[in-house]
Amino acid sequence: MEKSAVIDVLKTQIIQQLNLDIDPKTVTADSYLFGDAGLGLDSIDALELVVLLDKNYDIKIGNPEDVKEHFKSLSTLADYVLEKSPVVA
Amino acid sequence: MKNTYVIATNVVSPLGFNTEDNFEHIQSQKSGLSFQEFDFTNEPFCVSKMQENVINQRFKVLGDFKDEYSKLEKMCILSVADALKQTKHNCLGKDSVLIFCSTKGNIDLLENIVQNQSFDTGLFLAETAQKIAEFLGFENKPIVVSNACVSGTQGILVGKRFIDAGIYNNVVVLGGDLVTKFTVSGFKAFNALSAEPCQPFDDNRKGVNLGEGAATVILSNKSNENKEQIIVKAGFSSNDATHISAPSRTGQGLLKAIQKISEVSDLEDIDFVSAHGTATRYNDDMESQALARADLNFVPIHSLKGYFGHTLGAAGVLESVMGIASLQHNQTIISKGFEVSGTVQNLNPIKSVEHKPLRSFLKTSSGFGGCNAAVLFSKINL
Amino acid sequence: MKTSIQHICHISQQTISLDGKVVFHLENQVESNEFLNESYRFLQIDYPKFFKMDILAKLAFIATELICKSLIIKDINKDEVGIVFGNKSSSLMADLTHQRSIQDKNAHFPSPAVFVYTLPNIMMGEMCIRHGFSNENTLFISEEFDAEILAKYTNHLLNERIVEHCMGGWVDAQPGNYEAFLYFVGTGKSAFWGEHTAENILGLKQKSAEEIAENFQKTAFESEPISSEY
């Protein structure tokens, strides 16, 4: 799977799973996921991302603190999924 | 304002069925925590869970009731029944009320409800309270308080206020909650659980253990016959107004509740703080901030989560009862699981049982939804 | 001290009424959650976190928003606003969602964002975050709206100056059914809705429920003739 395709899928899943009231067009691969400058995700959302990665990509993460750098943007998250997920070829 | 007296107490937990047994066991450093298996994970988790057959044996003494009462209801009935025996006051009549404090009540029934698509009665908290109150013979309809992990402490506050306002003369405050797959899986998803016994305030703390129990405090506007009395001196609650699950980094809400107590009562005489102390990184740091800002961080402190786990809505009542026992026995309680200081502000966790005159303590609780509550208990001589 | 009811807001049957006037009503029957999202959009509120909330919090949020916007007294000390609510079903709707996510041990995916709402007092926490209320929150659970306990307790908090103002009310949600009845209580002279007593809040709740039902029947009749089998 191409990285850009993974980004698109992740974007849809995140907006849906995290109940974000955001127009997908305004979210780019490099938008920050956390903090006011980006999607504005918070600590519960971080835990929710962990569930999303487990459920959809079979990636097990113990503590979101450990993967902080991969949760920076859709782009970093897509890299992480491509590297770790046994279900995304 | 007249005094609100504590005239009876009880704790039902894996460590015993009355206040004395529980106190004795924790003073010998016994814990109710043990490793338990859950079907959704291969990793066993430490929880403080009661054995149903032990509860049933005790409950049989009260009569032959087969399956009419749930595990939680039996624990609650046993707790209140024991407390009622300790006082000559009639706490069941028109001037008395039962306040049931619970976070999730009979939530274990929900699994069958979802399975069978039918709404079993018994799930609603008001029904649970009614069943308990009817069994025990309360004339008035019971009151239910459900404020997350602050429920028990909030229930004591509500009880005191009903007495202050002259609405009731006696208030039986009961806290009760279970360890269920429902709560364990939720707290686990929150990354808030420690698989090992928890270590409140310790540098190595990894999270909380859940526990189950029922506890009772009977409050009254009349004292009992003892010379020495414990009173609920003051109490307030507050909201952080910052986040629904993360506690305020600065401890703002808890500080506000404590400050409001200090406006009506002297905090310099406090002998110890019975903290919420869940052993999550954030909670314990938050408490250290609030206590430091209130100039109370050097006061001896304990968390009882290492003995009972976090009993959710029951915790405030259960931990208050142990604090009251500590005052009555003039014995401090060790903050189990603490070794190396590890909170943002240094605290003074109790490391050994000391026998010394104890006259007052502050009970604090904090919970999801940003809620905080603090209650000051004091000893007086009549 | 006299305590008075200063504003009331009632949400049920796809209708929102503020101080006795219908401000929003949706004719087409939709799911509870969708109705609340529609109300949010109609009221042009800008608070994206709304979409993460459960039904209880959404109900409490919208009613509080409307009341706070229309407060007669503008300079209330928000730090001193308390909340005393009643509810029957606790957080049943969120509880069901959480339970379904853990029911099958082989598809065990509990969601933290759902679990946090399995506590009915979270709705009060959301109100506090939005409006900066930082005083006491108490949630009483009862079989039905217990005006007696709510009024007595709230009046005690006001009389003892534990709080300066109080949001009171009833917020409940069950499958296919929801209701929020919120009122703002302050001290001082009797305001528009009269003295804050158990009888008065019970009467106001019943009256506004009747008005909503009337409105509901009227519009339901207009939009969809009742069939003969009905």
Side-chain angles (χ1 to χ4, degrees):
Chain A
M1 212 168 167
E2 289 281 323
K3 185 178 168 186
S4 63
V6 176
I7 288 178
D8 282 343
V9 175
L10 276 171
K11 191 200 282 188
T12 313
Q13 287 170 339
I14 288 174
I15 290 176
Q16 204 171 20
Q17 180 76 27
L18 272 50
N19 286 313
L20 303 180
D21 186 37
I22 288 176
D23 179 357
K25 288 183 211 117
T26 64
V27 182
T28 69
D30 296 319
S31 303
Y32 286 116
L33 297 178
F34 294 85
D36 292 338
L39 273 70
L41 305 190
D42 72 356
S43 55
I44 300 181
D45 296 316
L47 295 164
E48 206 59 34
L49 278 182
V50 171
V51 177
L52 189 151
L53 293 180
D54 182 11
K55 202 170 170 176
N56 299 331
Y57 301 99
D58 207 8
I59 300 175
K60 311 269 179 214
I61 299 164
N63 189 345
E65 284 288 315
D66 302 340
V67 291
K68 233 177 177 172
E69 55 192 296
H70 306 296
F71 279 12
K72 231 171 90 183
S73 65
L74 283 174
S75 175
T76 60
L77 195 59
D79 287 335
Y80 185 65
V81 166
L82 283 165
E83 185 199 328
K84 296 279 178 185
S85 175
V87 295
V88 176
Chain B
M1 207 172 277
K2 283 183 288 181
N3 285 332
T4 299
Y5 299 95
V6 174
I7 58 168
T9 65
N10 168 278
V11 167
V12 166
S13 84
L15 294 177
F17 283 82
N18 58 51
T19 302
E20 286 309 303
D21 284 354
N22 276 280
F23 187 72
E24 211 172 280
H25 280 134
I26 69 172
Q27 291 307 72
S28 59
Q29 288 299 288
K30 272 195 191 147
S31 168
L33 294 170
S34 64
F35 285 95
Q36 300 272 333
E37 306 270 349
F38 290 90
D39 67 2
F40 58 86
T41 170
N42 297 326
E43 188 191 8
F45 267 89
C46 245
V47 291
S48 175
K49 211 165 156 61
M50 296 196 70
Q51 288 181 321
E52 199 143 9
N53 59 337
V54 181
I55 297 169
N56 289 340
Q57 275 170 17
R58 295 273 175 161
F59 199 68
K60 247 192 336 215
V61 180
L62 302 176
D64 186 17
F65 300 103
K66 292 187 185 113
D67 301 328
E68 292 162 56
Y69 296 92
S70 70
K71 180 182 184 185
L72 177 68
E73 286 155 8
K74 286 181 239 180
M75 286 157 58
C76 287
I77 289 168
L78 285 167
S79 176
V80 178
D82 176 64
L84 287 170
K85 276 193 311 201
Q86 297 161 28
T87 173
K88 285 181 181 166
H89 296 181
N90 173 14
C91 299
L92 301 171
K94 274 285 163 213
D95 65 340
S96 306
V97 76
L98 173 74
I99 298 183
F100 177 47
C101 312
S102 183
T103 303
K104 294 309 311 170
N106 284 323
I107 196 67
D108 50 334
L109 299 178
L110 198 60
E111 193 168 340
N112 282 331
I113 291 171
V114 168
Q115 186 77 42
N116 305 326
Q117 304 273 319
S118 74
F119 270 80
D120 194 328
T121 51
L123 182 69
F124 291 104
L125 280 165
E127 288 174 71
T128 309
Q130 184 63 36
K131 244 172 121 180
I132 295 166
E134 263 175 31
F135 183 102
L136 295 158
F138 282 88
E139 283 185 50
N140 282 318
K141 205 170 60 174
I143 290 167
V144 179
V145 171
S146 189
N147 277 65
C149 304
V150 168
S151 302
T153 314
Q154 187 67 26
I156 291 172
L157 267 182
V158 171
K160 173 178 164 47
R161 287 175 182 156
F162 280 145
I163 289 173
D164 285 346
I167 298 167
Y168 296 104
N169 294 329
N170 309 294
V171 180
V172 179
V173 185
L174 162 70
D177 262 308
L178 296 175
V179 170
T180 59
K181 194 175 150 185
F182 187 100
T183 50
V184 173
S185 61
F187 275 91
K188 188 168 185 298
F190 252 98
N191 232 4
L193 291 186
S194 163
E196 307 284 320
C198 65
Q199 293 183 272
F201 315 122
D202 191 88
D203 195 33
N204 195 32
R205 68 186 183 278
K206 294 194 173 72
V208 71
N209 308 127
L210 296 181
E212 60 191 14
T216 304
V217 169
I218 304 184
L219 306 175
S220 177
N221 64 351
K222 294 183 298 289
S223 64
N224 51 25
E225 285 160 356
N226 302 345
K227 241 171 116 187
E228 211 174 68
Q229 299 287 330
I230 308 289
I231 59 166
V232 182
K233 206 164 178 195
F236 291 96
S237 64
S238 63
N239 195 294
D240 289 337
T242 51
H243 195 271
I244 50 169
S245 63
S248 152
R249 295 275 169 132
T250 57
Q252 185 56 36
L254 182 56
L255 176 70
K256 178 171 173 162
I258 295 171
Q259 277 173 339
K260 287 184 92 167
I261 295 180
S262 71
E263 284 164 20
V264 296
S265 195
D266 203 348
L267 287 179
E268 277 171 21
D269 306 335
I270 292 177
D271 290 298
F272 64 92
V273 175
S274 169
H276 192 49
T278 57
T280 64
R281 300 241 53 109
Y282 294 123
N283 174 80
D284 294 6
D285 278 344
M286 178 280 287
E287 287 190 285
S288 78
Q289 293 278 23
L291 291 168
R293 289 174 71 190
D295 273 330
L296 294 172
N297 52 326
F298 295 110
V299 174
I301 187 170
H302 68 226
S303 159
L304 302 181
K305 301 294 189 281
Y307 303 101
F308 300 102
H310 186 354
T311 53
L312 306 180
V317 185
L318 189 153
E319 291 161 10
S320 291
V321 170
M322 288 297 106
I324 291 163
S326 174
L327 290 189
Q328 288 168 331
H329 288 84
N330 292 304
Q331 272 181 43
T332 58
I333 302 172
I334 294 170
S335 191
K336 196 171 175 65
F338 173 80
E339 279 164 30
V340 182
S341 187
T343 43
V344 174
Q345 300 287 337
N346 275 334
L347 293 169
N348 182 14
I350 300 169
K351 284 183 173 163
S352 60
V353 174
E354 278 183 61
H355 295 252
K356 62 180 186 187
L358 298 173
R359 299 206 59 85
S360 83
F361 76 98
L362 184 70
K363 171 74 207 123
T364 68
S365 297
S366 299
F368 275 174
C371 49
N372 303 276
V375 178
L376 180 65
F377 291 89
S378 288
K379 196 188 271 178
I380 57 167
N381 292 315
L382 291 185
Chain C
M1 200 186 334
K2 277 255 195 307
T3 56
S4 56
I5 303 166
Q6 299 175 350
H7 294 282
I8 56 174
C9 182
H10 204 151
I11 308 177
S12 79
Q13 301 184 70
Q14 304 210 140
T15 307
I16 303 176
S17 77
L18 175 69
D19 288 331
K21 290 190 191 80
V22 172
V23 291
F24 181 67
H25 171 72
L26 204 60
E27 284 182 20
N28 298 334
Q29 279 294 312
V30 294
E31 293 221 358
S32 321
N33 196 43
E34 205 182 320
F35 165 70
L36 292 163
N37 290 352
E38 286 296 319
S39 331
Y40 169 92
R41 293 201 177 93
F42 173 79
L43 298 168
Q44 296 186 316
I45 304 164
D46 182 25
Y47 196 72
K49 281 200 170 153
F50 176 83
F51 293 97
K52 295 169 182 278
M53 297 179 190
D54 74 330
I55 303 252
L56 289 181
K58 282 182 175 175
L59 283 164
F61 180 90
I62 288 184
T64 309
E65 202 70 13
L66 285 167
I67 287 178
C68 283
K69 269 188 188 152
S70 54
L71 282 178
I72 307 167
I73 323 160
K74 290 290 170 202
D75 57 343
I76 61 160
N77 183 357
K78 293 203 164 177
D79 280 339
E80 298 308 326
V81 178
I83 306 172
V84 178
F85 276 1
N87 152 292
K88 177 189 178 180
S89 318
S90 182
S91 49
L92 180 62
M93 300 301 284
D95 291 1
L96 285 166
T97 312
H98 176 64
Q99 181 62 42
R100 287 189 195 107
S101 75
I102 61 168
Q103 189 85 355
D104 180 357
K105 66 176 179 193
N106 299 314
H108 181 89
F109 297 108
S111 151
V114 170
F115 183 66
V116 70
Y117 289 101
T118 65
L119 299 162
N121 63 303
I122 298 294
M123 61 174 151
M124 304 193 282
E126 295 280 19
M127 289 162 62
C128 291
I129 295 167
R130 169 68 168 168
H131 297 284
F133 303 156
S134 63
N135 208 305
E136 168 166 341
N137 299 170
T138 301
L139 180 68
F140 291 109
I141 294 194
S142 51
E143 185 63 34
E144 49 193 24
F145 182 61
D146 192 339
E148 199 73 31
I149 289 296
L150 293 174
K152 277 181 178 167
Y153 189 72
T154 303
N155 281 340
H156 178 73
L157 295 182
L158 289 161
N159 287 327
E160 294 298 318
R161 296 179 191 279
I162 295 165
V163 301
E164 279 176 24
H165 309 275
C166 199
M167 289 289 303
W170 173 261
V171 185
D172 193 60
Q174 291 182 33
N177 196 8
Y178 56 86
E179 184 182 23
F181 174 70
L182 262 64
Y183 43 88
F184 188 85
V185 191
T187 53
K189 272 188 190 166
S190 207
F192 194 60
W193 296 106
E195 201 178 331
H196 174 246
T197 61
E199 299 76 44
N200 199 10
I201 52 173
L202 191 60
L204 287 171
K205 183 171 179 290
Q206 276 164 355
K207 192 163 166 280
S208 85
E210 280 162 21
E211 283 165 2
I212 285 176
E214 237 169 69
N215 179 66
F216 181 75
Q217 270 173 1
K218 202 174 71 195
T219 53
F221 184 74
E222 281 164 3
S223 61
E224 213 175 16
I226 297 164
S227 77
S228 54
E229 296 156 53
Y230 189 68

